Amino acid sequence: MAHETIAFVNQKGGVGKTTTAVSLAAALARKGERVLLIDLDAQANATSAAGLGEVTGPSIYETLMQEAEPRDCIVPLEEEKFDLLPATRELSGAEVELAPAIAREQRLKNALATVADDYDWIFIDCPPSLSILTVNALTAATSVVIPVQCEYLPMEGLARLMETLTLVRGSLNPELRTLGLVLTMLDRRTRLAREVAADVMMHFPRQTFNTVIPRAVGLAEAPSHGQSIFRYRPGSRAATAYRRLATELTERAGGSA
Ligand code: ADP
Ligand code: MG
């Protein structure tokens, strides 16, 4: 079994879910961990950010529709050293198509059971909603990581997200842990950013990771080059921050990487 299956979740878009999932996948892969990154967003940002320009084979859509085995959809990324289960635009249809299906919340969990032994970590990059796709991720996951953008007051959205997690624990996945909240895009020069960071740390003192991800131009540019920060700017502060976060993540997950 994979050591930990983590859903990167927040129903707000643009908070750093994809950046954090891709960067942590790359960080752990560089330490020799076996990592699978699953792109569960029809925008396919993780797929392109990880460097897969064009998806030629089956994708997460076919996996969820039970038209292909997950193993046949997974693409190894030579440069980044982790594996990717890519998404395409087609995934936007999955919502409607899954609506009448039996055990529709369990599709991803069941699919992943067939590949879990091949990985130490499985990361799921969620779409910006609390849709059936996100519920699939929360059902398949052992834990969640919640990226929070420091430029936007997040408490209302976080309260809704926490409610959803409570609902999922009550029915589909009692064991689901909250591994932590990650503060992203911190610009220490702005007062709002400092206030948001302080507010989140006050409300979630134990759950907020100590490592804060700075706003960094390298992180904004890397996706358009199809490279993780560890290829694009390995010596940057942003790379150092994500390396630290990977260490903290491993400690919280109780692992050894
Ligand atoms: P989400 O997946 O939650 O929608 P993304 O990870 O795609 O969010 O981030 C939104 C945008 O912000 C992307 O263009 C990304 O490149 C950029 N970005 C993410 N994190 C940072 C950061 N720490 N500094 C600068 N830009 C960032
Ligand atoms: Mg995203």
Side-chain angles (χ1 to χ4, degrees):
M1 279 295 280
H3 181 59
E4 195 82 36
T5 299
I6 302 177
F8 291 82
V9 63
N10 188 331
Q11 71 274 24
K12 183 163 165 38
V15 298
K17 289 182 290 296
T18 300
T19 305
T20 301
V22 170
S23 303
L24 288 175
L28 290 168
R30 275 164 174 70
K31 291 185 182 185
E33 297 284 287
R34 301 171 304 162
V35 186
L36 172 65
L37 174 64
I38 300 170
D39 191 347
L40 199 60
D41 185 352
Q43 291 191 27
N45 290 335
T47 300
S48 54
L52 199 64
E54 198 189 352
V55 181
T56 49
S59 65
I60 187 67
Y61 174 80
E62 282 80 3
T63 300
L64 292 172
M65 292 302 140
Q66 299 174 335
E67 289 166 10
E69 292 294 329
R71 202 176 293 282
D72 299 328
C73 304
I74 291 171
V75 182
L77 303 172
E78 304 278 321
E79 303 282 344
E80 297 293 351
K81 302 181 174 65
F82 62 85
D83 287 0
L84 177 72
L85 209 173
T88 63
R89 283 264 159 212
E90 236 186 333
L91 185 59
S92 58
E95 196 100 355
V96 174
E97 290 170 57
L98 280 177
I102 293 167
R104 61 200 175 127
E105 297 91 354
Q106 323 267 0
R107 287 286 177 103
L108 186 61
K109 182 188 170 99
N110 294 339
L112 292 187
T114 64
V115 297
D117 284 341
D118 299 345
Y119 298 100
D120 302 309
W121 304 84
I122 298 178
F123 288 175
I124 308 168
D125 184 28
C126 291
S129 66
L130 297 173
S131 63
I132 185 66
L133 289 178
T134 298
V135 172
N136 261 268
L138 297 177
T139 304
T142 52
S143 60
V144 297
V145 166
I146 305 168
V148 178
Q149 185 188 4
C150 288
E151 292 164 6
Y152 206 88
L153 290 173
M155 282 310 153
E156 215 170 296
L158 284 177
R160 242 191 95 210
L161 177 53
M162 296 303 171
E163 269 169 40
T164 303
L165 295 179
T166 302
L167 283 174
V168 169
R169 284 189 189 107
S171 52
L172 295 158
N173 190 359
E175 309 290 328
L176 184 67
R177 291 197 291 160
T178 301
L179 218 48
L181 288 81
V182 184
L183 292 165
T184 67
M185 302 185 218
L186 179 70
D187 182 345
R188 287 189 197 279
R189 288 166 306 184
T190 75
R191 194 169 133 203
L192 176 63
R194 292 196 308 266
E195 278 175 8
V196 169
D199 205 26
V200 170
M201 283 176 185
M202 191 181 75
H203 278 86
F204 303 97
R206 280 179 302 115
Q207 285 168 309
T208 308
F209 285 100
N210 294 322
T211 309
V212 176
I213 307 302
R215 172 160 278 284
V217 71
L219 285 170
E221 289 174 357
S224 60
H225 297 266
Q227 297 183 351
S228 74
I229 193 69
F230 300 104
R231 280 176 71 204
Y232 186 65
R233 292 277 165 80
S236 62
R237 271 173 62 222
T240 304
Y242 271 118
R243 217 176 279 121
R244 283 206 189 113
L245 185 64
T247 303
E248 232 187 300
L249 186 82
T250 305
E251 286 164 6
R252 287 199 184 194
S256 59

